[in-house]
Every structure is written in structure tokens, then in C-alpha cells.
Amino acid sequence: SWEFQAFLLVIFSSLYLITIFGNIFIVLIIIVDLHLHSPMYFLLANLSFIDFCLSSVTTPKLITDFPKKHKTISFGGCMCQIFFGHFFGGAEMVLLVSMAYDRYIAICKPLHYSSVMNRQMCIGLVMTSWIIGFVHSISQLALIIRLPFCGPRELDSFFCDIPLVIKLACMDTYVLEMLINADSGVLAAFCFIVLMISYSYILFTVCHHSKDGASKALSTCTAHITVVVLFFGPCIFIYLWPLSIPWVDKFLAVFYAVITPLLNPAIYTLRNKEIKNAIKRLRCCIRTCCTKWSKQISLELQTFLLLPFSMLYLMTVVGNLLVVFLIITDPHLHSPMYFLLANLSFVDFCLSSVTTPKLITDFLRDNKTISFDGCMTQIVCVHFFGGGEMVLLVTMAYDRYVAICKPLHYSSIMDRQKCIWLVSISWIIGLVHSTSQLAMVLELPFCGPRTIDSFFCDIPLVIKLACMDTYKIGMLINADSGVLATTCFIILLVSYTYILTTVRLHSKDGASKALSTCTSHITVVVLFFGPCIFIYLWPLSITWVDKFLAVFYTVITPLLNPAIYTLRNKEIKNAIKRLINKHMDS
């Protein structure tokens, strides 16, 4: 259905943007930072550039096809996808071998590293990878460009992969398939075997001389080995596996065309100390510039920010209270689903009211301070309403499960007492979670600087001000919030997956209807849980990212919830029409 395509559109667009920015960021930071001007990072910059290009071959077409009814591609466009897919894919395979060779020289022959891996050698290795990728791509294209296509011209995939295209030819293509699969499969398998032998030899050589050296070598090579397995695994499987299973082929195609180019920069960034140090240096430079700039922020800019945030908060309050009012006053909405929805809207109204009014009034003040009691109150209320909303969303998933999978028993299972009991549990868990968080920070000694670079008192920032080692407390607090958010999120995903799987087994039309019913819930779940999980489980703290996510889940999400439910729900829209007609008649 179009709802599910819209949901996938958001997901893949987000993945593509992260891939683009992640890889370009690595290329730029290696170019800009003088500490990264070495052969290893020169090769890494080229790898990130290839990943950027590889993801741009098919993903934009995949994304733009979601809103279209007729998902077609021209013959020229199809051949371009094949050419560039194999060009960049083949070049990346050889480049990964070059990076393994670089690690071999650095670890096994460190004294000769600067003379062996000189500028000419690095450029030669990169040029070789591009040339081999080009030759491989031309050889693949030459085998299929002249094939006669006179039958059906439909591919059950999101891009033109050669094994699928040659099946459309009006001739026996068995020998041709063997040649094409041998070309791609042998290149992939050969590079993969060379890489495995190289890293095994590196580790064996170092282990033979020093156990400490083996540990260090393993740490250095782990990121490379991970990328190798993630990239080569799907390629080898598609071209050398004798059986063709459409959903497996689609999943692997998405994996190496969309997911792998995203994972590569993430793996290298998180595992590499020099990259992390370069990011820190860049952050310090940006922070210095931003500090100088922020001191020059005019009253006019703060007034400009005051207006949109005031409008957002007003819309959040009116939207959520309207949903609550409609459900209370309209008899057609007196059902368990809308009872839970009314509670969700009330929680969103409360959650947005904890921090947003303080944020708005601070725009008009020079001294943006908050008392200790006010800070602790913000912490209690945010975690109380936030924890309550997480459990309430799980409760709403349970309600949809009973309604869709056990419709005949719905009225007996989801009776009035059960609904009140489920809502009470969500409030109780929110209260327990909030109290446990407050108990860990209330008695901390605060004797140093009392400045937080955020618009409200979030616990990870507050505990950094304590005059003691807060590493263990920070881990406990993050575990408390992170585990609650992650557990609820996983339960929700499993629940909705089970609902859709169960209905699909009985009726395809039922699956479409169930998907339409659940899409709004799934959208709210992703929007609410994504920033929470990121903030509490992400190992790195990036100030502007934390601020953006904090604004998102305390200001934006409470506004989006009523908008999503209102725009997607026929009963709510009908209730609004009845309310308008009633007032017009009176």
C-alpha cells in the first residue's frame, strides 16, 4: 500500500542521507586534517568516495520510485546502473586488497613502511583499483548490451542487476550466465580469499613475535576485516549461489547497495582513534568559532526563534487537547483504542509543557538560568511522562494485536477495567523509572561549574557537573533509560511484525488493511524512540546532535503525534466534521 511505501521512503531517504554525509565527512576530514595525511587514510578517503558513488547509483532511483505508481526505467538507465554498479563495486574490491597490503607493510615491515608506501605507490594502487573496476564493468556490459529483448520487460528488483536482466533475453542464456557469474563471482571470491590470507598472515606473523603485538594488530585490522565480510558476503552469495530466491536476492541487493556504504564510515569512525581525534580537533575548532559567533547573536535572531517555537508549542497544546476533547465528547470514539489515544495525547501535552515554555521564555532573557529545584523537576517530569509514553505505546500495540488477530474476543479482552489497568501500569512504570533516575542524581555533590550546554536539564549533562567520578552512575543511568527504551522498541517491532505476518497468512487484503491501521502507530514509534535510544546508547556525545534530538523528542514529536493520528484516522476526521457541523447548526 502507499502508506507502507511512504514509510519505506522515509527510512531509505534517511539511510541515504546518512551514507552521503558520513562518507563525504570522512573524505573532507582526511583532506583537511594534517594528522591524517598518510597512506592508510589516503586509501580510506578513496574507499569512502567509492562508497558514496556506489550508494548513489541505485538508491536515489529506489527512493524516487516509492511515490510513483509506475516504477519504470529506460534501457539506457538500466545499462548505466549495470555499468556504474560493477565499476564502483569492482574498484572497491581491489581497493580493499590495497588497504590489506598497506596494513601488511605497516605491521610486518614497519621500518620500510615510508619507503614502500610512498606517494607514487599509493596513487598507483588507487589507479589500479579504478582501472580494474572499469575493465570489469566494460566486460560485463559488453556481454549483455547486444542481447535481444523481445518478451516481458519487468524485473522483480529495484535496480538492473545482470542476473535478472539476462533472463529477459529472447535466447538461451545459460552459457552467458555462466560467463557473467564467473566474471563477477571469481573477481569477488579471488579478492576475498586474498584478503583473508593477507590478514591471517599478518596476525600469524605478529603473534609469532609478540602476543601484545598480535592484540594491537587484531585491533587495527578488525575494522578492515568487518568491512570485507560485510561487502564481499552478499556479492559472492548472489553470483556463486546456485539457487535464486527472490526475497533473499532483494535483501542482499539492498544490503550491499544501501546498507554497506553506510556501515563502512561508521565502522572506521567508531574503531579508529585517529579519526576520532580528528573529529575532536574539528569539534574544538567549530566550538571556538561558534563561541565567538554566539556572543554576537542579536536580539532580533532570538526574537525570530521565539516565534516558531511559540507556534509549535501552541499547535502541540491545541492539537493534543483537541484529540482528548473529541474522544471524551464524541460517543463514536468511546472505544479502547481511542481511550488509549486520548491518554497518549494527554501525555504528549504534558511532555511538551515540561521544557518548551522555559525554552520560549529564555529567548527573551539575557541570563538563562534555572534553579536546582526547577532542574530536578524537569528531570522527574521528562522521565515520568517519557517512560509512561513508552509503555503506553506498547499497550496500544497490544490493543491493535487483539483487534486485528482476535477480533471476536476484542470486546471481552479489552474491556473497561483492562484499559484502565493498562494505562495505570504505564503511569506507574513511568513514575518508578523517573524516581530511580532522580534517586541517582539528587545526592550528587555539585561544587564546580554549573553551566549546561542545553535548553533543559537532561541527566547525562547534569551528572557531568558533579564533583566526583560519575562513570558508574552514568552507566547505570544510561542503562536504565536505554534498556527501557530499547526493550519497549523491540517489543513494539516484534508485535507489529507478528500482527502483519499473522494477517498476511489468512488474507492479503487483510494484511493491507492491517498495515494501513498500524502505519500511524509504527510512524509514532520510530519518531519517538529513535532519538531517545540514540541519546542514551550512542557512545559518542556530539553537542549539536544531542540538542537537535532533544528538541525533536520534546518539541517536535508531541506535535507530530496528533497530526499523524488526525491525518491518518478516518474516525477522528469524521469526529472533527461532526463537531464543526454541530457548532455551525447551533
Side-chain angles (χ1 to χ4, degrees), residues 96 192 195-196 224-235 255:
L96 288 169
F192 184 69
L195 285 163
M196 290 295 101
H224 297 257
I225 295 171
T226 307
V227 170
V228 165
V229 173
L230 290 173
F231 182 79
F232 280 90
C235 294
F255 191 86

Side-chain angles (χ1 to χ4, degrees), residues 88-381:
F88 295 123
E92 181 158 344
M93 292 178 189
V94 182
L95 186 62
L96 288 169
V97 174
S98 301
M99 293 177 74
Y101 176 71
D102 171 77
R103 288 302 85 203
Y104 160 73
I105 299 296
I107 295 171
C108 298
K109 298 182 179 181
L111 299 178
H112 302 282
Y113 183 74
S114 58
S115 59
V116 175
M117 293 301 295
N118 53 38
R119 186 181 181 85
Q120 289 182 333
M121 173 65 78
C122 293
I123 295 173
L125 290 172
V126 170
M127 292 300 296
T128 300
S129 67
W130 286 100
I131 290 168
I132 292 177
F134 181 76
V135 171
H136 165 68
S137 180
I138 288 292
S139 66
Q140 295 276 287
L141 196 64
L143 291 172
I144 65 166
I145 193 81
R146 296 294 181 183
L147 286 176
F149 299 101
C150 52
R153 303 194 176 200
E154 292 183 1
L155 298 176
D156 190 14
S157 181
F158 68 93
F159 80 103
C160 295
D161 201 12
I162 289 182
L164 297 173
V165 172
I166 59 175
K167 290 179 181 178
L168 306 180
C170 309
M171 59 177 285
D172 182 11
T173 58
Y174 177 75
V175 176
L176 188 61
E177 284 183 51
M178 293 295 290
L179 283 172
I180 288 172
N181 287 349
D183 188 353
S184 294
V186 167
L187 176 64
F190 177 75
C191 290
F192 184 69
I193 292 169
V194 170
L195 285 163
M196 290 295 101
I197 292 173
S198 301
Y199 286 120
S200 299
Y201 180 75
I202 290 171
L203 297 176
F204 176 78
T205 304
V206 178
C207 187
H208 186 69
H209 292 86
S210 167
K211 290 185 178 180
D212 295 333
S215 177
K216 185 177 179 181
L218 180 62
S219 177
T220 305
C221 296
T222 303
H224 297 257
I225 295 171
T226 307
V227 170
V228 165
V229 173
L230 290 173
F231 182 79
F232 280 90
C235 294
I236 294 172
F237 188 92
I238 286 176
Y239 286 97
L240 295 185
W241 187 252
L243 301 177
S244 178
I245 306 171
W247 72 267
V248 174
D249 293 341
K250 284 182 183 180
F251 172 78
L252 293 175
V254 169
F255 191 86
Y256 79 78
V258 180
I259 307 298
T260 308
L262 166 64
L263 292 177
N264 291 358
I267 289 169
Y268 281 114
T269 303
L270 295 176
R271 293 300 315 277
N272 192 292
K273 288 184 179 180
E274 286 298 323
I275 291 287
K276 288 191 279 189
N277 290 335
I279 292 172
K280 289 178 182 178
R281 288 190 290 269
L282 181 63
R283 284 171 58 190
C284 291
C285 180
I286 293 172
R287 189 179 298 167
T288 303
C289 295
C290 288
T291 302
K292 293 178 181 178
W293 177 76
S294 63
K295 290 178 180 179
Q296 300 173 355
I297 292 180
S298 63
L299 179 61
E300 290 82 359
L301 179 58
Q302 294 193 50
T303 306
F304 172 76
L305 291 174
L306 173 68
L307 182 61
F309 277 100
S310 299
M311 292 299 296
L312 286 173
Y313 179 61
L314 183 62
M315 292 164 64
T316 301
V317 171
V318 173
N320 282 291
L321 291 182
L322 175 63
V323 172
V324 175
F325 177 76
L326 284 171
I327 292 171
I328 291 173
T329 57
D330 196 310
H332 297 83
L333 302 180
H334 289 179
S335 66
M337 172 183 169
Y338 294 106
F339 173 74
L340 298 175
L341 177 56
N343 278 274
L344 178 67
S345 292
F346 179 72
V347 170
D348 280 328
F349 159 68
C350 296
L351 184 61
S352 65
S353 298
V354 172
T355 57
T356 313
K358 182 74 171 68
L359 168 66
I360 293 169
T361 54
D362 275 351
F363 283 127
L364 302 174
R365 298 176 181 173
D366 292 329
N367 188 15
K368 307 178 191 333
T369 60
I370 186 172
S371 65
F372 180 80
D373 292 337
C375 182
M376 294 300 108
T377 301
Q378 278 193 345
I379 289 173
V380 170
C381 293

Side-chain angles (χ1 to χ4, degrees), residues 32 47 164 261 263 278 297 306 331 363 432 483 486 493 528:
V32 170
L47 178 68
L164 297 173
L263 292 177
I297 292 180
L306 173 68
F363 283 127
V432 172
V483 168
T486 307
L493 292 184
F528 182 77

Side-chain angles (χ1 to χ4, degrees), residues 573-586:
K573 288 189 282 188
N574 291 334
I576 293 172
K577 289 178 183 178
R578 286 192 291 270
L579 181 66
I580 293 171
N581 292 334
K582 181 180 177 181
H583 282 279
M584 287 181 67
D585 294 337
S586 60

Side-chain angles (χ1 to χ4, degrees), residues 498-511:
Y498 180 76
I499 290 171
L500 297 175
T501 305
T502 303
V503 177
R504 189 176 182 182
L505 291 174
H506 294 85
S507 168
K508 289 186 178 180
D509 294 334

